[in-house]
Amino acid sequence: MARSLPGRCGRRGRCGRGALLACAAWTAGWVLAAALLLRARPGVLSERCTDEKSRRILAALVGPAAAPPCAALPGGPGAGQSGAVVVPGGWGGGVPTRPHPWVSEAPGYGNMLAGRAVTVAGLTPAEGTVTSLWKAFPSISWLDRGACRDYEGGALVGDLCEDLCVAGKLLYRRCLYYESGKKVLQADWRGRPVILKSKEEAFSSFPPLGLLEDAADGGAQDFPEAELLLLVAGEVKNALGLELPGGSLGPLWPGGRGPRWRGQLASLWSLLQQQEFVLLSLLQDLSRHALPVLGSCGHFYAVEYLAAGSPRHRALFPLDGAAGGPRGGRGQAKAVSDMALSFLDMVSHFEDDFSHRLHLCDVKPENFAIRSDYTVVAIDVDMAFFEPKMREILEQNCTGDEDCNFFDCFSKCDLRVNKCGAERVNSNLQVICDKIFRHWFSSSLGSSALSVRLQQQLREAVQECADPRSSARSPLRAAPDVFWKLQHLLRATQRELQDAEA
């Protein structure tokens, strides 16, 4: 009988050890890949931006979204071709059903009402308040007394609440962003597209105002105005690093005292915890390059909707809505030069037109938009800081210059004391040249639209602006004269394009 010879795998278990090592290497490779992915995209494991979550947020404003499955309601899936959810009336059968403005237009509860009309049997238009619905149908938990009960009771207020809770004129459209630190929804408000923003999903997630918690039976009416001013000014300083006199707090002051004063303070306090809201409110009517705040309800605030930029667009920004709509190579070249000049105007505006320089620390196409006249607007300013706050952020411990980089705002490490310098060493212009202008001017603006000489001059100026160390002087910050050089070249571009059309 032949004796089996030991193969290579049988010699001292080499095969088993080799398989184990291969498995360990494979696992380590996946762990490394996951770590690199998380470093590059830290939000990859955060909550997804979905319509269901977004509708739940708005539903929480108009009442808890504890919606039962569609099949649990009369008129659920399969109940009829119209797909309408029919809620039985409280006054017996035989009463004609009619669409109810608030219910039929309310921004859905989970998947239950998404895209379908809701008919409430037995209600007349005069009985169309949220309170009437609660009284008529107390057993329906998805129309329970949520934030709108608080609104009607005066505990939560805002100039958008009436349209959201009663009139049904604020309608959800889609989710734009849903991650820790920001919830961004698109909605229609009285036929106008708007953006709703909040740091948190729930009003209760914000720390309450201590004065409200400690208030005696007299309520918020007894709060000394001087104490309230100090609190608001303190939150502005915490958010923006600015010490403002009481007279400068107008956009953030809750207004005259009345029956809803307590709710005004609670709602304002939740908004003051959001840096972007504070900044946009103070810039209201002062900056053509910042979004106006249109209104609020509780902790959500609304701003104008403008289509954000994206690297997917050839010109970085959608040009369809721009005046005249650029056509051909010359049209796009003119649009790009107009947008570039507006970016320069924004740089100058944020540099010189306020008591402190405003730093942009997150520059990318997605954080800007253009109006129909090519005016550039900063639509996401969560990472925009005035000089005092910027110095506070940058002045951190360090062991090297890389520890002093806060997104797009850089400082230098003083190794003698292992401390980052408080002064930013790069500039808004430098980052915009690097992340916006390079895309436009690193290649031709459009076939024969511009002379080769002018295109070359633009490329060289943008390179000098984006990477000043490449010049002989080797500064860290783009020199002031490069701003004027770019402006001169862009205006020369416009003149050349106009002459070509003549």
Side-chain angles (χ1 to χ4, degrees):
M1 182 176 182
R3 183 177 58 181
S4 61
L5 295 175
R8 292 182 180 179
C9 288
R11 294 172 185 167
R12 292 175 290 181
R14 289 180 182 176
C15 187
R17 285 198 299 272
L20 183 61
L21 288 173
C23 181
W26 181 83
T27 303
W30 275 107
V31 170
L32 178 61
L36 292 174
L37 178 61
L38 286 174
R39 182 176 178 84
R41 300 184 62 185
V44 72
L45 294 183
S46 60
E47 294 183 87
R48 294 176 57 206
C49 183
T50 65
D51 285 345
E52 183 176 359
K53 288 190 177 74
S54 303
R55 288 192 177 96
R56 186 184 70 223
I57 292 175
L58 287 186
L61 285 174
V62 298
C70 296
L73 289 172
Q81 293 183 351
S82 67
V85 176
V86 181
V87 181
W91 291 276
V95 181
T97 64
R98 65 184 73 202
H100 185 270
W102 181 82
V103 179
S104 63
E105 295 182 356
Y109 294 83
N111 290 324
M112 184 183 63
L113 305 184
R116 294 186 289 129
V118 178
T119 305
V120 179
L123 279 188
T124 65
E127 295 161 335
T129 65
V130 179
T131 303
S132 299
L133 289 171
W134 291 326
K135 290 178 179 177
F137 313 116
S139 61
I140 301 178
S141 61
W142 50 278
L143 288 178
D144 203 353
R145 310 182 181 196
C148 283
R149 174 197 58 187
D150 295 333
Y151 161 65
E152 290 194 343
L156 179 152
V157 301
D159 42 10
L160 298 180
C161 291
E162 181 79 11
D163 283 346
L164 176 65
C165 294
V166 179
K169 294 180 179 179
L170 182 60
L171 310 176
Y172 168 80
R173 285 296 173 231
R174 62 182 176 132
C175 172
L176 297 179
Y177 193 86
Y178 190 104
E179 293 195 12
S180 56
K182 181 178 290 188
K183 320 297 179 193
V184 183
L185 316 177
Q186 184 179 338
D188 284 345
W189 180 39
R190 301 190 176 192
R192 175 185 185 179
V194 297
I195 298 296
L196 296 175
K197 293 187 174 187
S198 178
K199 277 173 57 177
E200 303 289 349
E201 178 176 330
F203 184 73
S204 59
S205 298
F206 292 90
L209 176 60
L211 281 178
L212 290 176
E213 289 192 321
D214 301 337
D217 293 339
Q221 303 285 355
D222 297 331
F223 293 166
E225 186 165 305
E227 191 172 352
L228 291 174
L229 276 171
L230 284 175
L231 284 171
V232 174
E235 287 305 307
V236 172
K237 187 176 188 304
N238 181 57
L240 306 181
L242 301 180
E243 295 187 10
L244 299 179
S248 303
L249 298 174
L252 296 172
W253 191 243
R257 303 194 181 204
R260 293 183 177 268
W261 175 248
R262 191 181 184 92
Q264 283 179 283
L265 290 182
S267 300
L268 173 63
W269 194 248
S270 70
L271 293 170
L272 287 174
Q273 313 303 309
Q274 305 181 60
Q275 180 266 347
E276 183 179 68
F277 171 82
V278 177
L279 177 58
L280 292 178
S281 296
L282 292 179
L283 293 180
Q284 192 96 333
D285 302 324
L286 297 178
S287 177
R288 59 193 169 278
H289 296 291
L291 289 172
V293 176
L294 304 177
S296 63
C297 180
H299 57 303
F300 269 88
Y301 58 98
V303 295
E304 178 184 6
Y305 170 77
L306 292 173
S310 169
R312 294 191 299 270
H313 295 295
R314 184 180 177 188
L316 290 183
F317 299 94
L319 302 178
D320 298 342
R327 295 180 181 179
R330 287 196 183 94
Q332 179 155 312
K334 183 181 184 307
V336 167
S337 64
D338 286 343
M339 291 186 290
L341 281 168
S342 186
F343 266 109
L344 292 183
D345 181 74
M346 182 184 70
V347 166
S348 175
H349 174 57
F350 288 167
E351 185 88 10
D352 302 324
D353 291 352
F354 305 115
S355 56
H356 296 285
R357 183 183 298 127
L358 182 61
H359 296 272
L360 302 176
C361 294
D362 190 11
V363 174
K364 55 187 178 182
E366 294 89 338
N367 288 344
F368 298 92
I370 59 165
R371 299 191 186 279
S372 60
D373 61 354
Y374 299 109
T375 297
V376 172
V377 180
I379 60 174
D380 187 331
V381 291
D382 279 327
M383 290 292 176
F385 306 97
F386 284 109
E387 182 73 20
K389 189 69 175 181
M390 187 80 266
R391 297 177 71 88
E392 177 186 325
I393 291 170
L394 290 176
E395 204 169 20
Q396 304 295 329
N397 295 329
C398 63
T399 57
D401 288 346
E402 64 277 2
D403 296 330
C404 302
N405 296 345
F406 181 77
F407 294 88
D408 292 324
C409 296
F410 302 161
S411 178
K412 296 283 288 181
C413 182
D414 185 346
L415 293 176
R416 295 170 299 176
V417 292
N418 293 112
K419 199 83 170 177
C420 296
E423 184 177 358
R424 182 183 178 188
V425 297
N426 64 344
S427 66
N428 289 342
L429 176 61
Q430 187 175 340
V431 181
I432 286 170
C433 282
D434 183 32
K435 297 195 170 182
I436 305 293
F437 286 7
R438 275 190 198 271
H439 178 91
W440 285 334
F441 303 112
S442 60
S443 59
S444 170
L445 281 177
S447 60
S448 60
L450 288 178
S451 65
V452 174
R453 180 172 175 271
L454 185 52
Q455 291 185 49
Q456 179 64 26
Q457 288 176 320
L458 275 168
R459 280 196 293 270
E460 291 174 355
V462 168
Q463 173 65 22
E464 178 187 350
C465 173
D467 187 12
R469 288 170 294 188
S470 63
S471 66
R473 293 168 294 178
S474 296
L476 291 173
R477 181 193 293 262
D481 60 348
V482 78
F483 175 93
W484 303 110
K485 183 187 294 186
L486 282 167
Q487 188 178 75
H488 170 75
L489 290 171
L490 289 167
R491 287 176 176 168
T493 297
Q494 292 184 321
R495 289 193 297 271
E496 190 171 297
L497 291 170
Q498 288 172 356
D499 292 343
E501 291 177 355

